[in-house]
Amino acid sequence: AQRVTQPEKLLSVFKGAPVELKCNYSYSGSPELFWYVQYSRQRLQLLLRHISRESIKGFTADLNKGETSFHLKKPFAQEEDSAMYYCALRVNAGNNRKLIWGLGTSLAVNP
Amino acid sequence: KAGVTQTPRYLIKTRGQQVTLSCSPISGHRSVSWYQQTPGQGLQFLFEYFSETQRNKGNFPGRFSGRQFSNSRSEMNVSTLELGDSALYLCASHRSGAGEAFFGQGTRLTVV
């Protein structure tokens, strides 16, 4: 079954602490993974994708096919990182492709 | 470039009524997806349209339907509203199928 699991509904850290938001996936094909973020009162938007292997706002995520994970990490959390984070997996669906979403993790960075 | 526009932003309906929500994608985007977002269930996929055809459908009852017009604008309809349909309904447009999703600000539906 195709599935994305974000085991933590809520993650609370202090400013300056490292943060890791977990994402595990289940997919027999070649995975393409994304992290989306939704700040308070803003639209859900793409944060980063594993293909580009870039760092956005200090966040990185590495695809680990052996552990079927795509955890989002930042070495020093900032208060403005407080938001809802969603992990998404792009899969093939017949002749099409679709996105499978995790339930999201709410990150709270405390001063 | 204008972003994804959803109308209306807020709606209050009573049980049993029906509702139509609208989504205008980014110019040039031909794929539109709809999602229901609730605190308990997160982001749940409703359906996706591409070139006026429904390509994918989530696990929602038949009361939820949608369509896409030739200009790529999309509407979703919910008939016989139930209290549990109260949610934020998000629309996302893609340049092609399952490419980067650009989301609208959503329509907040409250069923009383």
Side-chain angles (χ1 to χ4, degrees):
Chain A
Q2 301 155 350
R3 187 169 55 246
V4 174
T5 303
Q6 293 180 251
E8 303 132 331
K9 288 191 77 170
L10 175 64
L11 187 61
S12 183
V13 301
F14 286 105
K15 177 182 172 182
V19 63
E20 181 180 55
L21 292 87
K22 291 184 168 51
C23 172
N24 290 89
Y25 66 91
S26 173
Y27 180 49
S28 57
S30 183
E32 292 184 68
L33 286 137
F34 306 83
W35 276 99
Y36 281 78
V37 61
Q38 189 173 31
Y39 300 103
S40 179
R41 301 184 190 280
Q42 292 189 30
R43 301 168 188 237
L44 191 58
Q45 59 187 291
L46 178 68
L47 179 63
L48 52 80
R49 66 191 86 189
H50 91 270
I51 288 177
S52 55
R53 299 185 64 84
E54 56 197 344
S55 172
I56 303 292
K57 299 185 179 182
F59 283 98
T60 59
D62 290 318
L63 176 61
N64 186 323
K65 291 187 179 181
E67 296 183 359
T68 59
S69 69
F70 188 56
H71 302 329
L72 184 67
K73 300 177 185 178
K74 185 168 182 175
F76 308 103
Q78 303 300 314
E79 289 180 69
E80 55 265 30
D81 296 329
S82 297
M84 192 75 179
Y85 291 81
Y86 289 93
C87 182
L89 165 70
R90 184 158 65 188
V91 303
N92 293 321
N95 292 325
N96 306 314
R97 295 180 296 178
K98 65 179 182 181
L99 288 169
I100 308 291
W101 296 83
L103 291 181
T105 297
S106 178
L107 174 64
V109 181
N110 304 300
Chain B
K1 209 182 228 186
V4 178
T5 305
Q6 291 188 246
T7 57
R9 291 290 310 280
Y10 303 93
L11 265 179
I12 299 177
K13 291 284 189 178
T14 56
R15 277 181 298 174
Q17 285 188 308
Q18 68 109 26
V19 67
T20 299
L21 312 181
S22 180
C23 172
S24 293
I26 291 172
S27 177
H29 287 193
R30 296 168 63 190
S31 172
V32 172
S33 299
W34 287 91
Y35 296 86
Q36 183 192 68
Q37 186 179 34
T38 58
Q41 299 296 320
L43 204 61
Q44 292 190 281
F45 172 73
L46 279 154
F47 26 65
E48 182 212 352
Y49 286 88
F50 182 82
S51 293
E52 302 178 66
T53 301
Q54 186 181 90
R55 288 208 298 194
N56 288 301
K57 191 176 190 310
N59 296 322
F60 277 80
R63 299 185 297 108
F64 291 81
S65 63
R67 59 178 175 168
Q68 187 180 33
F69 301 96
S70 58
N71 62 358
S72 294
R73 190 177 70 84
S74 178
E75 289 181 346
M76 68 162 279
N77 184 278
V78 189
S79 61
T80 321
L81 284 165
E82 300 176 0
L83 295 178
D85 297 332
S86 295
L88 181 66
Y89 289 88
L90 293 173
C91 163
S93 78
H94 314 250
R95 194 182 315 277
S96 60
E100 178 182 348
F102 293 85
F103 284 85
Q105 289 191 293
T107 295
R108 172 77 60 187
L109 172 65
T110 302
V111 182
V112 298

